Amino acid sequence: MTDIDSLRNVLELERRKGYTDKAVIGGLDKYLHKQAGQIRQSLVLSLNEVKTKELIPQLLSGFDELNLARSNYGSYGPDERKRWMANVLGWLDEMEGKTKTDRSQEPVVSRQETEDRRQESVVSSQETGDRRQESGVSSRETGDRRQESVVSRQETEDRRQKTGVSSQKRREGLDSPITVIKGIAPTVANKFAKLNVRTLGDLLYFFPRRYVDYSRRKPISELIEGEEQTIIGTIWQARVATLGNRKGTEAIVGDETGNIRVVWFNQPYLAKSFRTNARVVISGTVGVFKGHKVFESPEWELLKDKELIHTGRLVPVYPLTQGLYPRQVRKWTKETVDGYLWQLSDFLPPGIKTRCQLLDLPAAIAQIHYPDDLTMAERARGRLSFDELFLLQLGVLARKRDWKEGQPGNAFHIDQEVISRFLGCLPFTLTRAQERVLQEILTDLKQAKAMSRLLQGEVGSGKTVIATLALLIAAANGYQGALMAPTEVLAEQHYANICGYLSQAQHSSHECWMTTALLTGSLSSSEKERLHDKIKQGKVDIIIGTHALIQKEVEFKKLGLAVIDEQHRFGVLQRSALRQKGFNPHVLVMTATPIPRTMALTLYGDLDLSVIDELPPGRQVVKTKCLEPRYREKAYTFLHREVSNGRQAFIICPLVEESEVLEAKAAKTEYERLSREVFPGLKLGLLHGQMPGNEKEEVMRHFRAGELDILVSTSVVEVGIDVPRASVMMVEGAERFGLSQLHQFRGRVGRDKEQGYCLLIPEKLSPEARERLRLMEKVHDGFALAEKDLEIRGPGEFFGTHQSGLPDLKLAKLTDLHSLELARQEAITLFQSDPNLKKAEHQPLRQQLSRVWAGGAEWS
Ligand code: ADP
Ligand code: MG
């Protein structure tokens, strides 16, 4: 029995009982208030069977007028009750009559009592008729559309042409702020700014992350549960409704094959947008509620004379920030594409486009936002990512040319005697990989061209010894050598190591021709001045320091070799700043960030590549274990044990995305908790990015000197710090870090002969996180982990590209070797034919290059 049948039964019982409100225990009103929603639901569902669609709005509004959910039957007097009852039963008759008539095409004998209402309903039938006339156009349209199953672009195009609405060329330049678009207020523009979108040009280059495929149109009767589909239909009714226990919008939409209920949760204001009889496109996943199909919060769009952008097609999904809504953003990107794209000219030489079968630029931009189909979306992506890689390559090649071939470099004489004496004094012999890399470097240093070499090697692979040798050769040739490290602690560490290596070598030779100095920000200004003087006069041979080295007060007498440690911490600009300090000096860049070779060729295409792919013998792998949070106590016990055996430990606090302040706060809280509750007897230190530089250095110094047992820290300890006695690295919130970063962390321990341990404690262990952290347990090769990381997180996160000084890659994937190779080849070819992009036909390209490489001096 349907809810409508029960309603009739209850009401008729009440009438038989003489309107005494005895039919329902607790009163009729209570029943009605509770049931009204259900009854309406079943009414809606029964409307599916109605053939004359135009009746639907009328039936529904008739029901709503009864206002059963707020009935007041109990308070009425006998006459009023009688009248009320007649009214409701009358409506029921009418409804059933109509639906039945409709179903069986037979008149139904009606009750006397409802005669009056029937009269009324004639009037409203008339009305409906009129309305039907009005909407005749769309009815005919419906007929035409019955054939199609896909909403094609052609169709919308046609519709646009018919109505004379075409995209209007707008004149504001692409550098204009996005606020020239109607609806983009300054507050909205601020939100876009967070996404790096400020100008119209930026908006054209603001690409969707993916598309939802709403291109498959279905007749309502053929909708399939669980699939993304699109219908085009007529709104029979729309109203504010209580869904769950919140207000929302409910509409009944029908086409020539049936009706469907459509609901939008929490959006009661939508009801106003849906005029009865308006044509609407609904796109979304079809669900089932109480055995009937329903669209829940689908995308929607009124069918007007405009191209569809939210429904009925591949709909773009943009990466948004708080306060920006998908519908608005689509409207604006569409407006920008339609109004301004004509201004964008293609900068790629036609030959390249033909050879690589690339779309024209404007077509690619239009298609990446609102693609005709997935093939076009893919081609658009192909063109635009080619641009990124190609421009990247060109820039990198130009830099290499400028540095290497610009001016002659200083050819060093390599004195084998000096080298063997140095090597003879080391407490170890070089690994084969170190030997090979050393030869590569020495070969470079002999040339009259400046060396530009990237030295890659795992944490602990022994890059410093090699760098020291190179510095020694420079000094032996009467030049100065400089080594720049990203932090004071690291600079100090290098200074100590290098002095150690050198002093042994000098002792054995009884000569004393080498002076070294440390230049950091924490020197007093008089000390600094004195040192600056010495450097200028050439009284120091080897200078080790931080950013302080590239301050403008620092002048070298004769800088012949610049070594830069931990490359990924420095941008391209800092690198060239140090280079500028000398007359085309040799440059050696060192990094422990393992970059797969193909990628290195792209990103550091300006540098030659040397890799130390072997660790010194006897180095143990750091035993790594991922522990569920509930076993944290065990980890603490383990730390206790290690400390009592004279070792030290790191505890890394979880990464707080984009907030160093919060991260520091969390670390502080954790430090206090651990000091008080877990390790009250031990000496703990705290390190975070919000501490002033000298405090950080101070804490690190204490830790290195063994005055602290445990260092509680944020991710700032990541880079190259050498604490020989540290044996445990415990990482909280481990799933938030990238694999490469975790690998760097664990490189901090087990630097001595002793076994090192790494304990990873995730906060929440999703299946993916578990799999990722498992890799850390099994894989100890930094390169393999880096490749995995790239696959999982993408290059942006991996390199922190904002720092790198390289143009951003939005679409291109550095893991796509084929595209990399293609772009590289084309760049090399172009470079051979027109190295300075002087030809007239290359001017647009030249301009694009300087736009993309903003900040790079090469093209400005
Ligand atoms: P990284 O590549 O991380 O900068 P370092 O140069 O700091 O590595 O070297 C790490 C440690 O290994 C140092 O203590 C260094 O003295 C030692 N080391 C370097 N080369 C060798 C080798 N061939 N054999 C043994 N130990 C070495
Ligand atoms: Mg190092």
Side-chain angles (χ1 to χ4, degrees), residues 4-16:
I4 296 177
D5 294 333
S6 348
L7 174 66
R8 179 183 286 286
N9 289 347
V10 168
L11 293 181
E12 285 180 345
L13 180 63
E14 171 65 13
R15 191 174 54 182
R16 282 201 299 279

Side-chain angles (χ1 to χ4, degrees), residues 36-56:
Q38 293 265 2
I39 295 169
R40 192 172 196 284
Q41 201 84 278
S42 64
L43 175 64
V44 164
L45 298 175
S46 73
L47 291 176
N48 260 324
E49 290 156 42
V50 178
K51 289 252 162 46
T52 319
K53 305 295 178 198
E54 288 73 11
L55 286 178
I56 295 172

Side-chain angles (χ1 to χ4, degrees), residues 531-805:
L531 192 49
H532 289 168
D533 278 346
K534 280 189 177 174
I535 296 172
K536 197 170 171 182
Q537 291 160 19
K539 287 184 184 156
V540 212
D541 303 304
I542 295 178
I543 305 100
I544 292 144
T546 54
H547 292 82
L549 280 176
I550 51 174
Q551 303 309 306
K552 60 174 179 308
E553 301 82 47
V554 181
E555 282 176 52
F556 289 85
K557 176 149 189 254
K558 208 178 173 191
L559 182 63
L561 169 67
V563 181
I564 298 157
D565 192 24
E566 301 299 348
Q567 141 79 13
H568 73 292
R569 289 282 151 150
F570 289 111
V572 171
L573 298 181
Q574 285 147 325
R575 203 160 89 197
S576 62
L578 185 55
R579 191 188 289 268
Q580 307 296 324
K581 294 280 178 192
F583 179 73
N584 214 19
H586 295 291
V587 173
L588 179 66
V589 173
M590 303 198 290
T591 181
T593 308
I595 307 153
R597 190 172 190 101
T598 39
M599 239 159 273
L601 282 178
T602 303
L603 288 175
Y604 305 109
D606 55 332
L607 304 173
D608 297 309
L609 189 60
S610 285
V611 183
I612 305 184
D613 49 6
E614 180 187 357
L615 289 179
R619 202 58 66 71
Q620 284 152 324
V621 293
V622 176
K623 285 193 179 150
T624 304
K625 186 103 192 100
C626 175
L627 281 182
E628 281 183 45
R630 61 193 158 112
Y631 296 129
R632 187 176 280 116
E633 286 302 324
K634 281 193 175 175
Y636 290 150
T637 312
F638 183 72
L639 256 68
H640 257 295
R641 212 182 67 206
E642 285 289 302
V643 169
S644 62
N645 286 334
R647 316 256 153 66
Q648 292 167 289
F650 293 93
I651 298 180
I652 306 294
C653 301
L655 192 68
V656 180
E657 217 73 57
E658 280 165 31
S659 174
E660 267 201 13
V661 180
L662 288 183
E663 191 170 86
K665 226 171 114 189
K668 219 162 126 192
T669 314
E670 179 71 351
Y671 163 75
E672 279 158 12
R673 184 186 75 86
L674 289 169
S675 309
R676 218 177 26 241
E677 296 168 20
V678 187
F679 303 109
L682 304 184
K683 281 164 292 182
L684 273 67
L686 170 68
L687 189 72
H688 62 70
Q690 294 286 294
M691 286 159 58
N694 53 348
E695 267 179 48
K696 267 191 276 197
E697 305 287 333
E698 195 64 17
V699 172
M700 274 315 304
R701 224 164 273 140
H702 283 312
F703 188 55
R704 215 142 46 99
E707 292 154 23
L708 296 170
D709 300 311
I710 297 176
L711 185 64
V712 180
S713 171
T714 59
S715 59
V716 296
V717 294
E718 180 192 347
V719 179
I721 294 161
D722 211 349
V723 184
R725 287 202 308 136
S727 67
V728 191
M729 170 63 66
M730 174 171 168
V731 184
E732 293 278 358
E735 81 279 17
R736 299 202 196 179
F737 295 100
L739 294 179
S740 285
Q741 210 174 357
L742 289 174
H743 185 65
Q744 294 274 330
F745 284 145
R746 91 179 151 188
R748 303 289 121 245
V749 296
R751 313 264 296 173
D752 215 5
K753 307 277 167 304
E754 303 292 339
Q755 178 64 54
Y757 302 91
C758 176
L759 303 172
L760 304 173
I761 309 208
E763 228 154 83
K764 272 193 242 119
L765 203 53
S766 67
E768 303 94 283
R770 183 188 298 276
E771 201 178 314
R772 234 155 49 87
L773 296 178
R774 276 281 138 75
L775 280 174
M776 290 300 298
E777 294 180 349
K778 286 188 301 212
V779 182
H780 292 271
D781 172 359
F783 283 82
L785 288 172
E787 297 234 24
K788 276 281 171 229
D789 232 7
L790 270 165
E791 256 170 52
I792 301 170
R793 299 199 305 166
E797 295 249 347
F798 182 83
F799 291 106
T801 33
H802 302 299
Q803 276 213 52
S804 70

Side-chain angles (χ1 to χ4, degrees), residues 317-520:
V317 179
Y318 293 96
L320 297 181
T321 185
Q322 187 152 38
L324 286 178
Y325 302 100
R327 289 180 72 86
Q328 296 177 314
V329 173
R330 285 197 288 264
K331 194 170 142 249
W332 294 327
T333 54
K334 185 73 175 111
E335 216 173 304
T336 312
V337 169
D338 286 348
Y340 297 95
L341 187 55
W342 66 274
Q343 295 185 31
L344 196 68
S345 58
D346 202 339
F347 52 81
L348 268 195
I352 295 182
K353 276 190 287 184
T354 319
R355 265 198 304 282
C356 304
Q357 303 182 327
L358 298 170
L359 285 183
D360 285 333
L361 184 59
I365 296 276
Q367 288 292 322
I368 199 157
H369 287 283
Y370 293 96
D372 291 348
D373 50 43
L374 282 176
T375 315
M376 286 309 283
E378 209 31 63
R379 290 198 63 196
R381 193 163 282 270
R383 157 70 207 250
L384 296 166
S385 61
F386 178 89
D387 287 358
E388 291 177 353
L389 294 175
F390 181 66
L391 293 167
L392 180 70
Q393 274 304 314
L394 276 182
V396 158
L397 287 173
R399 221 160 46 183
K400 185 168 189 169
R401 172 208 57 202
D402 288 355
W403 289 350
K404 270 199 115 156
E405 279 139 38
Q407 306 123 339
N410 315 301
F412 290 170
H413 167 68
I414 311 293
D415 187 345
Q416 282 303 331
E417 183 66 11
V418 172
I419 294 176
S420 18
R421 206 185 310 140
F422 177 83
L423 291 178
C425 294
L426 290 179
F428 49 76
T429 49
L430 294 186
T431 61
R432 282 217 312 280
Q434 281 173 314
E435 283 284 0
R436 191 189 60 234
V437 165
L438 178 62
Q439 288 314 318
E440 287 167 357
I441 291 171
L442 294 180
T443 308
D444 277 3
L445 293 179
K446 278 192 282 198
Q447 311 293 318
K449 274 184 193 175
M451 170 172 77
S452 290
R453 189 166 283 280
L454 178 66
L455 172 53
Q456 251 185 42
E458 277 267 17
V459 182
S461 61
K463 298 183 289 291
T464 315
V465 193
I466 301 300
T468 309
L469 251 168
L471 290 166
L472 187 64
I473 296 291
N477 277 273
Y479 284 89
Q480 288 169 304
L483 186 151
M484 180 162 74
T487 64
E488 292 205 3
V489 172
L490 267 180
E492 271 183 22
Q493 193 175 293
H494 277 309
Y495 182 68
N497 287 339
I498 289 175
C499 287
Y501 292 142
L502 291 178
S503 71
Q504 277 167 1
Q506 289 186 28
H507 273 299
S508 73
S509 72
H510 305 287
E511 291 169 39
C512 202
W513 39 264
M514 195 78 58
T515 45
T516 48
L518 177 68
L519 175 59
T520 63

